[in-house]
Amino acid sequence: MKDSASRVPDAMTRNAQWAARSRKAVWHPCTQMKHHERTPPLAIARAFGAWLYDYEGGRYLDAVGSWWVNLFGHANPRINAALAAQLCDLEHVMLAGFTHASVVELSERLAALAPRGLSHAFYGSDGASATEIALKMSFHYWRQRGLSHKDRYLRLEGGYHGETVGALSVTDVALFREAYAPLLREHPVLASPAVHDAIDSHAATQATNEAIVALERFLGEQADTTAALIIEPLVQGARGMAMYASRYLAAARELTKRHHVHLIADEIMTGFGRTGTMFACEQADIAPDLMCLSKGITGGYLPLSCVLATDEVFDAFYDDDVTRGFLHSHSYTGNALACRAALVVLDIFEQDDVIAANRERAARWREMAGRVAAHPRVHGFRQCGMIVAFEVDGTDAGWTSRFATEALRREIVLRPIGNSVYFMPPYTIADDEFAFLVERTIETIDAT
Ligand SMILES: Cc1ncc(COP(=O)(O)O)c(C=O)c1O
């Protein structure tokens, strides 16, 4: 049998050849494949720093950090070197019954960096698997304590925690949920404090006040059947980078503690410096019961996720009886290459004093992005650390995909969520590259 490549006409460009083969053989994520008839996937041959390069000399500034994962640029020499060294020692060993230096060191260092008390690391692969782990751990914890009727999770309006069935059941994005509604357990949805506006705006203050009242009321009435509240601290990414003040986090921690409900902080997107601090929870000086990490953990190199749990949660499973253990596993749990990438990411944070450097970078980004904020079709300009977002007025139904296509034509990768456009480039993007991003974004707004 001939492979699909041989059916692609020779006259096609290399970009077009890869795109055509991809359309036949690869089922792309979060994509209506038929739309690729009009806009084929872009074939990337290599990447360096903040740039992606295609097969014909085209270049594209990765302003969304490849779905919010990249921290220190593509083909980062320090991460590359560490991975090469790890490859020579150990690529992978199952983590049940075995352990290795990279996973031990990573777990110790995460515990030291995370909010106090989160000293036990349980690993998964993608973000959604961390969500699943946290949900199961929370319910199971209450079950071990004889409270198995605490079997519901509180979720926030517009929240996103991944797309496996359990994670989807605590996600509130209709587009992703609708087809699977019969499979999903209904969990209560509460008002969100997050807005598509500046964090100090009147709308933000009001939303936060209302969200705190709603949480207090719910917990006052139904805490006894609630296992946990799951939230994205400070920024609801998939909702279009909707942001809120740390005051809500502080209130959520206080209320959940008072009512004996776990707080699960989904820091899958916000962790590793995105919101300006290592973890968003730090900005409210709170420690959740369970914290989910992924995305930036490996600098955008390899799939790895982690749930950090407190001693109290861990101790509830520590027993002579095997059935009281947390019997959850994935084949690649604690993969040595992924853990090594994560260790070098932590080295870079430490050696380059990244959080302090990012504070200055964020201020420069704010200044440079001022021209976008002042654009007559832009409102709701907001920034939380290394995330800049704004709303574009005067759009129609096809605008979101048209904008992304026009942005690519101008050498920038932007994927608006509805009318919300955001910048989440690698931290290492140079100032002149950021200025280029701003310039080309304005051109793209004007062209759409
Ligand atoms: C807050 C949050 N949680 C969970 C996920 C799911 O992660 P993954 O796509 O790696 O499964 C995402 C992904 O965007 C996210 O932003």
Side-chain angles (χ1 to χ4, degrees):
M1 198 181 96
K2 287 185 155 190
D3 70 12
S4 53
S6 59
R7 293 196 292 273
V8 173
D10 289 343
M12 284 176 118
T13 63
R14 288 178 74 200
N15 279 351
Q17 283 183 26
W18 282 117
R21 286 173 66 179
S22 194
R23 283 181 47 214
K24 286 202 174 83
V26 181
W27 197 337
H28 289 265
C30 203
T31 297
Q32 170 47 266
M33 290 298 292
K34 194 163 195 294
H35 289 177
H36 276 326
E37 287 175 10
R38 276 182 280 120
T39 34
L42 181 57
I44 297 303
R46 64 192 177 85
F48 189 75
W51 293 92
L52 308 173
Y53 298 92
D54 68 18
Y55 284 86
E56 286 148 31
R59 60 168 200 166
Y60 312 90
L61 191 71
D62 188 359
V64 299
S66 283
W67 254 353
W68 320 345
V69 300
N70 195 292
L71 303 186
F72 301 125
H74 295 273
N76 183 293
R78 285 146 92 181
I79 305 178
N80 288 1
L83 282 177
Q86 179 69 49
L87 260 179
C88 296
D89 292 339
L90 173 71
E91 82 299 343
H92 180 70
V93 63
M94 62 191 276
L95 206 62
F98 297 86
T99 194
H100 55 84
S102 294
V103 77
V104 173
E105 284 175 24
L106 179 61
S107 308
E108 290 170 351
R109 288 177 68 179
L110 287 174
L113 280 170
R116 62 197 168 278
L118 291 165
S119 41
H120 305 273
F122 193 102
Y123 292 91
S125 41
D126 292 287
S129 62
T131 302
E132 299 287 345
I133 290 162
L135 296 177
K136 284 177 71 178
M137 260 182 194
S138 173
F139 165 74
H140 201 161
Y141 167 90
W142 295 115
R143 186 175 181 272
Q144 312 273 50
R145 304 263 311 258
L147 299 167
S148 48
H149 53 279
K150 280 171 93 66
D151 65 353
R152 292 189 304 169
Y153 306 105
L154 269 181
R155 57 194 172 114
L156 294 187
E157 199 185 341
Y160 180 90
H161 303 284
E163 293 175 48
T164 49
V165 173
L168 200 54
S169 74
V170 291
T171 285
D172 184 44
V173 180
L175 178 67
F176 301 146
R177 284 174 58 97
E178 243 160 49
Y180 310 102
L183 308 182
L184 305 178
R185 182 126 188 262
E186 267 308 316
H187 296 290
V189 188
L190 288 188
S192 165
V195 291
H196 296 92
D197 208 339
I199 300 168
D200 58 1
S201 64
H202 174 67
T205 306
Q206 200 172 341
T208 298
N209 290 345
E210 287 170 10
I212 293 172
V213 169
L215 178 61
E216 188 161 22
R217 188 177 307 130
F218 186 94
L219 290 176
E221 291 163 4
Q222 302 191 48
D224 59 333
T225 54
T226 305
L229 163 69
I230 182 164
I231 53 171
E232 296 154 90
L234 299 184
V235 185
Q236 288 187 309
R239 197 182 185 190
M241 303 300 151
M243 298 181 184
Y244 60 95
S246 58
R247 177 163 77 85
Y248 178 82
L249 290 182
R253 177 64 289 187
E254 196 275 312
L255 288 167
T256 48
K257 196 163 254 167
R258 193 195 314 160
H259 290 280
H260 305 288
V261 165
H262 286 145
L263 179 65
I264 302 174
D266 175 351
E267 294 239 17
I268 287 166
M269 186 276 280
T270 55
F272 301 96
R274 274 301 173 201
T275 65
T277 44
M278 193 63 167
F279 302 109
C281 283
E282 289 170 34
Q283 296 187 37
D285 195 20
I286 61 155
D289 300 285
L290 297 159
M291 187 158 104
C292 303
L293 302 173
S294 188
K295 291 198 183 273
I297 193 170
T298 61
Y301 263 65
L302 287 158
L304 180 71
S305 64
C306 175
V307 174
L308 295 178
T310 58
D311 284 344
E312 192 184 344
V313 171
F314 179 82
D315 289 348
F317 294 83
Y318 202 75
D319 200 279
D320 289 324
D321 182 353
V322 69
T323 64
R324 286 183 65 86
F326 187 59
L327 305 183
H328 180 102
S329 64
H330 298 284
S331 310
Y332 282 101
T333 290
N335 174 262
L337 287 166
C339 290
R340 175 55 57 188
L343 281 170
V344 72
V345 161
L346 296 184
D347 289 342
I348 294 172
F349 269 105
E350 219 174 275
Q351 291 160 10
D352 297 4
D353 204 358
V354 169
I355 297 295
N358 275 0
R359 263 197 292 278
E360 290 170 20
R361 227 173 242 140
R364 293 200 301 278
W365 289 7
R366 173 68 188 87
E367 209 179 306
M368 285 188 272
R371 290 189 48 227
V372 181
H375 191 284
R377 279 179 61 204
V378 166
H379 75 274
F381 185 90
R382 55 201 179 274
Q383 181 177 13
C384 182
M386 313 309 281
I387 307 169
V388 172
F390 53 90
E391 306 300 294
V392 177
D393 296 328
T395 60
D396 57 25
W399 179 83
T400 305
S401 59
R402 233 174 33 248
F403 184 93
T405 306
E406 288 296 325
L408 274 183
R409 289 184 54 208
R410 289 166 178 78
E411 301 183 312
I412 53 174
V413 181
L414 288 175
R415 289 172 60 98
I417 300 170
N419 289 1
S420 311
V421 178
Y422 64 90
F423 300 153
M424 210 194 282
Y427 305 154
T428 46
I429 187 173
D431 283 359
D432 59 341
E433 291 170 330
F434 195 89
F436 174 89
L437 170 62
V438 169
E439 187 65 41
R440 294 290 169 99
T441 301
I442 291 171
E443 286 176 28
T444 309
I445 296 171
D446 290 337
T448 51

